[in-house]
Amino acid sequence: RPLTPYMTFVQQHRREYAGSPVAQARELGARWRSMSDEEKRNYESPEYTQWRAEHGRGSLSSKLKRR
């Protein structure tokens, strides 16, 4: 399974934040949430886009909502 756009974003920006992994996660999460959908699309790989088209959301939460 290819990396999600969020995980690609984290890989690219993790070194910009000092401190503990928890502090890094908080800062990166806050930055991600403040981004527009258009900005987030910049982190979608072609592999992810293809996988998403073939499998839908693919998340457990979306499967549970159907029940």
Side-chain angles (χ1 to χ4, degrees):
R1 182 193 292 199
L3 291 177
T4 64
Y6 175 71
M7 293 308 296
T8 302
F9 168 80
V10 168
Q11 278 189 339
Q12 291 179 9
H13 297 282
R14 170 181 3 198
R15 290 185 178 88
E16 296 172 14
Y17 297 94
S20 71
V22 173
Q24 287 177 345
R26 283 187 186 132
E27 291 295 322
L28 288 165
R31 185 170 166 190
W32 179 258
R33 285 187 300 274
S34 72
M35 293 170 61
S36 69
D37 288 344
E38 187 65 32
E39 290 173 308
K40 291 177 182 180
R41 277 192 208 100
N42 293 327
Y43 294 96
E44 284 188 16
S45 67
E47 295 84 8
Y48 176 79
T49 304
Q50 179 181 352
W51 181 87
R52 181 101 185 251
E54 293 172 1
H55 296 94
R57 289 196 73 83
S59 69
L60 180 58
S61 61
S62 66
K63 292 176 185 173
L64 292 175
K65 288 179 186 176
R66 286 189 236 147
R67 292 183 180 182

